[in-house]
Amino acid sequence: MSLIKNKRNSQKIGLADHNGAAENKTKELTAMEQRQRQRFIDKATKVSGKYLRRLAELPGAPAAIQPFFKVLEDIYVEMKNVERAADTKTVGTYCVMVPHELIYAVGAQPVKLCSGSYTAFAIGDDLVPRDACPLIKAVMGFQAMDVMPVYQDCALMVVPITCDCKKKMAGMLKEMVPTYSLHVPTSKSDDTDMEQYVQELYQLIPELEAVTGQTISYQSLAKSIDEMGFAQYEMSKFNEYKKHVPALIKGTHAMALMNAFSYMPLAQWSQQLHLLNRELARRKKDKQFVSKDKQPRIMVTGSPIIFPNIKIPLLIEETGGILVGDETCMGERSIYDPTVVVDQSFDGLMRSLANRYTRPCTCPTFVDNDQRIYRIKQMIADHQVQGVVYHVLRGCLVYDFEYQTLEDELGKLGIPVIRVESDYNEEDIEQLRIRIEAFIELIKLKDLAERSKK
């Protein structure tokens, strides 16, 4: 496409000019490029709107979940920017291993830019190798088309180098926007690797200060850790409600609120989750459930499930299952564990952040990853999971590597698991529906057989 070529070669669309107005960028496009741009916008917003409607039509949505839906609508359908003060800079992140506390401490707003858009994926397919993962393609597609304010207006991009695709993506982004490559340790148990990560976080600080014009102080960092702690506290309460049998909330709705975390100011998201927890408490008291006693309880793990590509959780709950657990980096993993501060010095705070964003993390990018199996087993027990859907984005090798180990371990527990490979297109939905529906029926028959023995 000529628009992409224009973007990569001369950058006339304006990514090099971070402070330029969107209308000035549009004036620089040819008539054909403007039509291409508008077709992209129309298709992207149509797909996002369709999935939001399916979310809304899924029975049992709590009233307090609506503001989270509204945020996703604002970003992906209305194509608005994140809500923030006029003088607040935004910093784009691409992984849960970027400490949000550092970004908040410098007076900026973090925005997680991992994308699940098929429309952007189709554009990115022309920019990166065919076998690259859909997430990378979608990110580069949005970056190339320059239509999403959340991408356009970031003062800095922070890309953790967690896989080869992220490494190459960081290099491509650096040609267009200010980008910091955050090197993460390959081993969580190696003190040398962890020390390097601490130094990486220290090196990130002047990058953040340069784009915001503000400095990180002990007080601002401690405050941001406390504010994140409140969000983590509310998240821990929410997870307790998710364990309830029968279910108090559908898992697809829960995944929507976790996706909204990427675009909402921390205090606003935490307060809305607090209101949702109060509503779930009332549901529990009034015995207002969204599932039946014998409805198969399903957990999803593997590659991230990112809006608007939420076809897997929707299919699980549309075909008779109830999604009760989400062990992905767009779900509970991003915020379930609090920062534990032992040393009250500034260096102590930094090291606490380094520990919090690596030690509990179950991302398969780490070499020593027995903790991932332990965490999944723990969630299966806590949430009374009866079956696991293992989601693999096509081209996401780090997650695919771990499937066999997980299947073997869950086999010892008698927990059925199904590997589901997909990308962001919608052509495989009916095939996925058949497989997931058969998997859920298998769990029902297994449960019936076990009940008959009692």
Side-chain angles (χ1 to χ4, degrees):
M1 294 176 64
S2 59
L3 182 56
I4 297 173
K5 184 178 180 181
N6 195 23
K7 165 64 76 177
R8 298 193 69 186
N9 295 338
S10 64
Q11 300 180 358
K12 290 183 180 179
I13 299 180
L15 274 174
D17 178 17
H18 306 295
N19 297 319
E23 57 268 23
N24 291 334
K25 297 176 184 178
T26 305
K27 289 177 183 177
E28 296 176 359
L29 303 177
T30 67
M32 183 180 71
E33 289 167 345
Q34 289 184 31
R35 288 195 297 272
Q36 290 174 339
R37 189 174 188 268
Q38 189 57 50
R39 283 198 297 270
F40 176 86
I41 293 172
D42 292 343
K43 186 173 181 180
T45 55
K46 180 180 179 181
V47 171
S48 299
K50 178 180 70 175
Y51 277 102
L52 278 170
R53 285 192 297 274
R54 287 179 67 182
L55 267 174
E57 290 167 0
L58 199 63
I65 204 80
Q66 297 303 322
F68 299 114
F69 292 172
K70 183 63 169 60
V71 168
L72 296 176
E73 181 182 17
D74 287 345
I75 299 297
Y76 282 95
V77 179
E78 301 299 329
M79 291 204 167
K80 297 178 180 179
N81 208 336
V82 293
E83 182 179 329
R84 70 193 196 282
D87 58 346
T88 300
K89 302 286 187 180
T90 56
V91 174
T93 70
Y94 291 90
C95 179
V96 296
M97 286 185 236
V98 180
H100 281 196
E101 290 89 338
L102 286 178
I103 299 172
Y104 280 116
V106 79
Q109 167 74 33
V111 183
K112 192 173 182 183
L113 296 179
C114 298
S115 174
S117 169
Y118 172 66
T119 314
F121 157 84
I123 298 297
D125 201 32
D126 291 333
L127 302 174
V128 301
R130 180 193 62 186
D131 294 332
C133 85
L135 188 154
I136 301 299
K137 292 181 180 180
V139 167
M140 295 312 301
F142 270 134
Q143 201 70 59
M145 294 306 293
D146 205 13
V147 297
M148 292 277 281
V150 291
Y151 286 87
Q152 296 172 34
D153 295 343
C154 284
L156 178 69
M157 303 290 193
V158 183
V159 184
I161 308 303
T162 53
C163 67
D164 288 341
C165 281
K166 286 277 183 73
K167 183 186 298 182
K168 302 310 293 183
M169 183 185 78
M172 294 177 69
L173 288 175
K174 199 168 186 178
E175 295 178 1
M176 298 183 284
V177 293
T179 302
Y180 180 80
S181 300
L182 182 67
H183 297 274
V184 298
T186 58
S187 173
K188 295 181 286 186
S189 59
D190 191 315
D191 290 340
T192 303
D193 281 1
M194 287 301 300
E195 182 64 30
Q196 181 183 351
Y197 182 61
V198 172
Q199 297 310 312
E200 285 284 328
L201 296 185
Y202 269 108
Q203 292 171 32
L204 175 59
I205 290 177
E207 300 286 338
L208 294 170
E209 292 177 337
V211 297
T212 61
Q214 299 187 45
T215 58
I216 294 181
S217 65
Y218 176 88
Q219 289 76 15
S220 67
L221 184 56
K223 180 182 177 183
S224 67
I225 290 174
D226 285 344
E227 290 175 346
M228 184 65 77
F230 176 64
Q232 290 160 335
Y233 170 72
E234 290 297 334
M235 188 65 197
S236 68
K237 290 176 62 178
F238 179 69
N239 283 337
E240 289 300 313
Y241 288 124
K242 284 180 65 180
K243 296 175 185 177
H244 195 273
V245 182
L248 297 169
I249 184 171
K250 290 193 178 287
T252 310
H253 292 153
M255 295 189 81
L257 79 87
M258 290 308 304
N259 272 257
F261 177 73
S262 301
Y263 312 108
M264 293 176 74
L266 181 60
Q268 180 183 338
W269 185 87
S270 302
Q271 183 58 34
Q272 191 59 43
L273 182 56
H274 175 72
L275 296 177
L276 176 58
N277 282 334
R278 289 175 59 182
E279 184 172 351
L280 295 181
R282 290 195 296 271
R283 283 188 170 192
K284 181 178 178 180
K285 180 180 178 181
D286 298 339
K287 297 184 178 181
Q288 182 183 352
F289 308 127
V290 296
S291 71
K292 299 176 182 178
D293 288 337
K294 299 179 182 179
Q295 196 165 353
R297 295 173 66 84
I298 308 298
M299 172 180 166
V300 67
T301 186
S303 301
I305 295 173
I306 310 169
F307 188 84
N309 182 44
I310 55 171
K311 58 187 178 185
I312 300 298
L314 279 171
L315 287 173
I316 290 171
E317 298 197 307
E318 289 173 347
T319 56
I322 182 72
L323 184 60
V324 297
D326 168 20
E327 202 288 314
T328 71
C329 58
M330 285 299 289
E332 297 178 18
R333 188 193 304 167
S334 63
I335 198 172
Y336 70 83
D337 205 75
T339 301
V340 178
V341 179
V342 178
D343 179 356
Q344 296 292 330
S345 67
F346 186 86
D347 186 65
L349 298 184
M350 292 292 291
R351 292 179 182 277
S352 296
L353 287 176
N355 283 324
R356 180 261 180 265
Y357 280 88
T358 52
R359 304 285 192 188
C361 184
T362 54
C363 178
T365 188
F366 295 111
V367 174
D368 48 336
N369 211 26
D370 291 341
Q371 184 182 7
R372 174 171 166 76
I373 301 298
Y374 174 81
R375 173 62 181 162
I376 291 173
K377 287 181 177 180
Q378 181 186 50
M379 290 183 66
I380 287 172
D382 289 346
H383 294 265
Q384 301 184 47
V385 171
Q386 296 170 284
V388 174
V389 174
Y390 194 93
H391 173 240
V392 178
L393 281 176
R394 196 163 288 122
C396 187
L397 295 179
V398 290
Y399 278 102
D400 212 1
F401 258 108
E402 299 206 340
Y403 172 74
Q404 190 60 55
T405 301
L406 181 64
E407 184 183 44
D408 293 344
E409 291 296 322
L410 296 191
K412 297 174 185 177
L413 300 177
I415 301 294
V417 57
I418 182 174
R419 177 185 177 277
V420 176
E421 182 177 357
S422 182
D423 56 25
Y424 290 169
N425 76 72
E426 297 184 290
E427 297 171 359
D428 61 354
I429 285 182
E430 290 310 312
Q431 179 187 11
L432 291 172
R433 185 188 302 276
I434 292 170
R435 293 191 64 211
I436 291 173
E437 190 169 21
F439 181 65
I440 290 173
E441 288 301 316
L442 174 67
I443 295 172
K444 288 180 179 178
L445 291 174
K446 181 175 180 290
D447 183 57
L448 182 63
E450 290 175 352
R451 289 173 183 267
S452 64
K453 293 178 182 178
K454 295 179 181 180

